[in-house]
Amino acid sequence: MIKKPTFRKLRGYAFDPSLSLKMDTAPINEIIYLIPWEDSPDELSPGPIGEYLEVVDFDPTVNKFYAPVNLDHRYVLAQDGLDPSGSNPQFHQQMVYAVAMTTIMNFEAGLGRSVLWRPHRVIVTSQKQNSKQKDGTEVVPEVKTKDMYVQRLRIYPHALRDANAYYSPQKKALLFGYFAAQPAKRTLQMPNNLTFTCLSHDIIAHETTHAILDGLHPKFTEDTNPDVLAFHEAFADIIALFQHFTFPEVLKNQIAATRGDLASQNLLGKLAQEFGIAIGSYGSLRDAIGTFDKKTKKWTPKEPNGNEYQTIYEPHERGSILVSAIFEAFITIYKDRIADLLRIASGGTGILQQGELHPDLVNRLANEASKASKHVLNICVRALDYCPPLDITFGDFLRAIITADMDLVPEDRRNYRLAFIDAFRRRGIYPLGIKHLSAESLSYTVPEASKLHGVFGILVDFLKSYSNEIIYAKSRAEIFEINKNYIAGKYGADKKIYGLHRRINGKMEGSKDFERITGLMFSDGWEKLSIPTSTAYKQKRPSFYIQSLHVASRVGPNGKQSNQIIMSLVQKANISVEEDSNGELTINHKSQHKDFEMSGGCTLIFDLQTQQLKYAISKPLIDIDALNDVYQLLESRCFSTYTYQNGSDGSQTQFQAYFGLGKQNAVNEPFNFLHTH
């Protein structure tokens, strides 16, 4: 019997087509992607259309569908996919599929579970439209929403004639553009050369990451503080950058070219080189380790001055601060891992002799760089589960990195955590609410067990039942349905099981311990704070919903398996604010116009082995007194979002102000708005 293949081999560009036109980079730019094997016709159809992705190649500028590539054609299989080509639409389809699937694989390795796309939310009503009561008055339908499963992310390789590519949360799709190059210098690129964003590994990985991150943290598209959208952009760049290190020949080439010094100018730290030149830059679109001086026409390494975080606010530029911090941490880790090799190769001096490095040394250095990059990539992906469900800051992400690493790797023999802390410190990035800058202080603490008895105990059996069912799920669709049933409940002729939402809503009522741990409000008396009560559940408290529920299974370097249930709650309340005669902001809950939506949230992480709550990562809902400190709110005349400090521990509460439709494009299609050049 012939065994089913583990991987499908597909050729593609390691970077973009421009590097295949240069003598020094052409040999390393065409690589083979190893993609999880999907059988045809059940799992893979022409397009390609697989379990996770559906490539739809329609070009609206010429009103034409391009024939879909059949990756199971015998000739295609025999050649490890189609030849890399800038003019063949079928190769473009192959390229986006190969890179997007590679990105998905890297996320699943770090998360310890399958990737799910953000569901479609549809509006349903409980009564028929225009129905009337007995007295003749119209019945206002109660508006409800329902989440619909999205199996595949759609990818449009030729969606627009523009120097742009973006992820659309509305369409659950990636849209790639193409355009005529306008280089700053004719020798850099042929003028009017068609540049396809769908042929850039970095752009494809970047946009796929936006889609995956949106499925994990839907509230991260709401710019409640300057870091939120910047984090989205930075994380997408981080994934694209570190995937460069998964290409062995590219890595060896750059190790040899830089003589092992990856902090110097090299291809691995650059993003979207062809695109950057095509829109008029002299180098790549972004560079994690250096900058190109337009006056001197020279590349210089980046050196943080500590003020960037306080002065830069444009999302891409602000995001580059986080990218450089993560990349610096990687460089520090890499240098530590190769220190002994350099001592051996240099006879103890640490200074290598002139000339090319020995191939054996190049292989060993490349091996250490590959290991370090894989560790850093997994740490960053794993940290996403340790983030608050909304209003994320770079400081929150540092705490998530440290907590996630300490949770899986208790003994930090190589000082990975110190490398991250030092890189963030050098850029002036500090989390709020901590007293000391150390791994122990940065790691989220485990709530006191004595305070938890009877608070979360009522959920333990329910969560055990959930985990026992989810581990036997055979498909991503089944995982989605199980999650939905356990959140909302199961109702039918043969069973009626109250869901997690109803259990929390009922059992946690009046629990001060639950409120203290989560930072949310589940007690009556919300109206005493002059804030309107929930209309969704007819209760005197703000409404809440369970944003996500999933099981993560990971294995640490010591072989020990970690099984956890991760749940996130989001709570919101609408209020209006007015300015009194003294210029003070006061809350007016009787106003028909609601200016603000106040939100808070909490990520709860349960350990399945101990059956106890392990971490509670909270963004508290509200501190009424703090509202009087935000006078600038009334000066805004468009959709804006703000964050104010809340409490003595430096925690934050976020809220949004709506004063019209000034940035409607940014609300509906945030990544199109951000990526427009």
Side-chain angles (χ1 to χ4, degrees), residues 412-649:
D412 186 19
R413 295 181 179 179
R414 290 189 175 273
N415 290 320
Y416 278 28
R417 296 192 273 272
L418 178 58
F420 282 104
I421 293 170
D422 191 46
F424 277 67
R425 176 193 58 78
R426 279 167 39 83
R427 288 155 181 81
I429 302 173
Y430 301 105
L432 296 172
I434 63 167
K435 303 300 182 182
H436 303 283
L437 193 65
S438 65
E440 291 71 22
S441 297
L442 288 168
S443 176
Y444 290 106
T445 56
V446 179
E448 298 177 48
S450 60
K451 299 287 186 181
L452 301 180
H453 183 69
V455 178
F456 292 98
I458 60 176
L459 299 179
V460 169
D461 289 340
F462 182 80
L463 293 176
K464 281 177 61 179
S465 174
Y466 162 71
S467 65
N468 290 334
E469 186 169 345
I470 204 78
I471 61 175
Y472 294 108
K474 298 179 180 179
S475 67
R476 293 164 58 246
E478 191 174 348
I479 291 173
F480 178 84
E481 288 300 320
I482 292 172
N483 285 347
K484 188 169 68 172
N485 288 338
Y486 272 87
I487 290 174
K490 299 180 181 180
Y491 302 96
D494 57 338
K495 55 186 173 183
K496 183 178 181 181
I497 302 175
Y498 291 144
L500 191 55
H501 184 279
R502 184 161 180 173
R503 288 168 186 264
I504 292 176
N505 196 46
K507 299 294 184 181
M508 300 308 173
E509 180 178 352
S511 172
K512 297 300 181 183
D513 283 335
F514 190 72
E515 291 182 345
R516 175 183 60 82
I517 291 168
T518 62
L520 308 180
M521 188 169 186
F522 294 88
S523 302
D524 289 345
W526 183 254
E527 77 284 357
K528 295 178 182 179
L529 301 177
S530 302
I531 293 180
T533 58
S534 165
T535 58
Y537 300 101
K538 306 294 190 295
Q539 295 174 329
K540 297 179 179 180
R541 71 185 74 142
S543 63
F544 80 96
Y545 64 93
I546 298 170
Q547 181 174 266
S548 64
L549 176 68
H550 48 253
V551 170
S553 180
R554 308 181 181 101
V555 179
N558 59 0
K560 185 177 179 180
Q561 186 164 353
S562 171
N563 297 309
Q564 298 173 328
I565 292 179
I566 301 159
M567 173 175 59
S568 64
L569 308 176
V570 173
Q571 193 171 46
K572 58 185 179 180
N574 294 321
I575 66 169
S576 60
V577 175
E578 295 180 357
E579 189 174 11
D580 63 18
S581 57
N582 297 321
E584 293 283 315
L585 292 181
T586 59
I587 298 172
N588 180 2
H589 71 283
K590 296 180 180 180
S591 173
Q592 293 183 351
H593 178 67
K594 302 299 183 290
D595 292 327
F596 306 111
E597 181 181 272
M598 317 279 296
S599 296
C602 184
T603 298
L604 301 171
I605 302 178
F606 294 85
D607 189 298
L608 282 175
Q609 272 75 30
T610 63
Q611 299 180 15
Q612 293 199 2
L613 177 69
K614 196 163 187 180
Y615 301 103
I617 302 157
S618 175
K619 286 281 180 169
L621 178 63
I622 191 171
D623 180 349
I624 299 300
D625 294 335
L627 283 174
N628 285 321
D629 297 330
V630 286
Y631 297 98
Q632 70 272 28
L633 295 178
L634 295 180
E635 299 175 2
S636 175
R637 289 297 178 266
C638 64
F639 172 87
S640 302
T641 51
Y642 305 89
T643 299
Y644 62 83
Q645 302 308 312
N646 173 5
S648 59
D649 64 347

